[in-house]
Amino acid sequence: MRQTTLSWPAFLWAAGLGLVTLFTLLDPEPSRSLGLLERLLFWLLHVGGLILVMQSSQSFLSRISPSRHLNPWIQIVIAGLIGAAIFAPIGAWLDGFFGLSEVKEDVNQPWPYQVFEDFTAIAPAAVFCWVGLNAARNLRLPAPNEASPRPPPAPQELTEASEPAPVRLDVQPPGQAMGADEAGPPFWSRVPRALGRDLVALTAELHYLRVETANGDALILYPFGQAVAELAASMPDGSQIHRSHWVAHSHVAKIQRDRGRVFCLLNSGTRLPVGRRRQAAILARLSSA
């Protein structure tokens, strides 16, 4: 049976709440003088804020050149360091807000030096945490030569209310868009071989990329925008339908309209939204496909 994996945002939420709960119950030294509710809020702000800053840094690095071409794990370490640098003054302010600031021996110590001290204290833990979260996520991914096959999609029950005017498309035989033996764009090197190369859709999950093929899907550490740019030349039979979704035309079974929104229903059973600004162009391309 194929395993269902959490999306990267859901994984971050779950991991963050787990860390907050752990620190609240263990009651480490930084929050030992606080009551239970204060301690919970203290760690919620610290852990949640740090993860948010590191994720924002990671997303930024994955979109700019030349950092987006670095090894993904180097990107992760750099994102952890940037996140620690940004969060250091925020953490110092939070400590003061909760009345936990340490008295400085030198009251005339320059503020930049104080922030630097906070950064050196938080950076190792921040980088370790960020690398650990990404490593834990990646260790759950299938190996390049292993993947679970996709089960047959469940029958779709569509009502006239949710689909007043479906546009049915002719579905091309699987594998026509991308042969199984074709090397394709660079992102394929991170996709398990067992998934094949019959690409169905790409979905951005922050700095991760979910690659769906006719055989299943995998989550890889790769920028969505870079993957879409790579496909522009090698696979013209496809379109970016949303800021977070790309689909292969040959795998679009039909177009659905629901309360003013437009969706692509793929022959795998996946249903992806079409961005409002892209609807006219996408409908025109798919109708002529």
Side-chain angles (χ1 to χ4, degrees), residues 58 61 70-80:
Q58 180 70 53
L61 288 174
L70 294 174
N71 179 281
W73 292 107
I74 296 178
Q75 281 189 32
I76 289 171
V77 171
I78 295 175

Side-chain angles (χ1 to χ4, degrees), residues 32 41 45 53 66 76 101-102 130 134 166 170 182 185 187 208 272:
R32 188 151 296 169
L41 180 59
L45 293 174
V53 171
I76 289 171
S101 297
E102 297 180 358
W130 192 235
N134 281 271
D170 294 332
E182 186 176 349
F187 74 85
Y208 279 90
L272 299 177

Side-chain angles (χ1 to χ4, degrees), residues 99-150:
L100 301 174
S101 297
E102 297 180 358
V103 178
K104 302 291 184 181
E105 294 181 2
D106 183 2
V107 295
N108 296 320
Q109 189 180 56
W111 181 81
Y113 186 78
Q114 296 178 28
V115 173
F116 178 75
E117 279 192 332
D118 291 332
F119 166 75
T120 57
I122 197 176
V127 173
F128 179 81
C129 172
W130 192 235
V131 171
L133 287 174
N134 281 271
R137 183 59 171 174
N138 279 281
L139 287 175
R140 298 181 68 244
L141 301 181
N145 60 348
E146 298 177 357
S148 300
R150 177 192 297 280

